[in-house]
Amino acid sequence: MLAALGIFFPVYLIVVLLAPSYKRWAKNPQLNAFVRGVTAAATGAVIVLARRSIYDVSTVIIVLVALLMLMRWKVPEPLLIACAAVAGFLLRRA
């Protein structure tokens, strides 16, 4: 959890802080290249974390349910992460 927080929180914070002024700079090719690079890095981080995190049936179930929820409804990510943490805790205790 701490690794995920360390990877995604700074990016999330940057997005929240810079989003209001992004429209002003949206046509800047250098900024667009930077955003594409950050997106690629975040995708790579997700793949690395997934390879190390999805290792048994319960984690596969949590991932599939989370993906289905994201595709079906617009669920806020912090809520989804909290629900996945609770599900993981409950599945480990069982």
Side-chain angles (χ1 to χ4, degrees):
M1 239 166 80
L2 290 176
L5 185 65
I7 290 170
F8 293 110
F9 184 70
V11 174
Y12 184 76
L13 193 60
I14 289 170
V15 168
V16 168
L17 293 175
L18 296 180
S21 59
Y22 179 72
K23 285 185 180 183
R24 238 184 318 172
W25 303 323
K27 294 185 188 323
N28 184 325
Q30 293 169 326
L31 181 63
N32 284 328
F34 172 76
V35 170
R36 283 194 306 272
V38 168
T39 302
T43 303
V46 167
I47 292 169
V48 169
L49 287 173
R51 285 184 179 166
R52 294 183 180 174
S53 302
I54 304 171
Y55 55 86
D56 63 358
V57 175
S58 61
T59 55
V60 170
I61 291 169
I62 292 170
V63 168
L64 292 176
V65 169
L67 284 174
L68 290 172
M69 287 179 68
L70 286 173
M71 286 192 229
R72 177 84 169 118
W73 299 288
K74 193 168 184 127
V75 180
E77 292 86 357
L79 176 63
L80 187 64
I81 291 168
C83 290
V86 170
F89 179 74
L90 293 174
L91 287 170
R92 282 284 172 215
R93 289 187 63 198

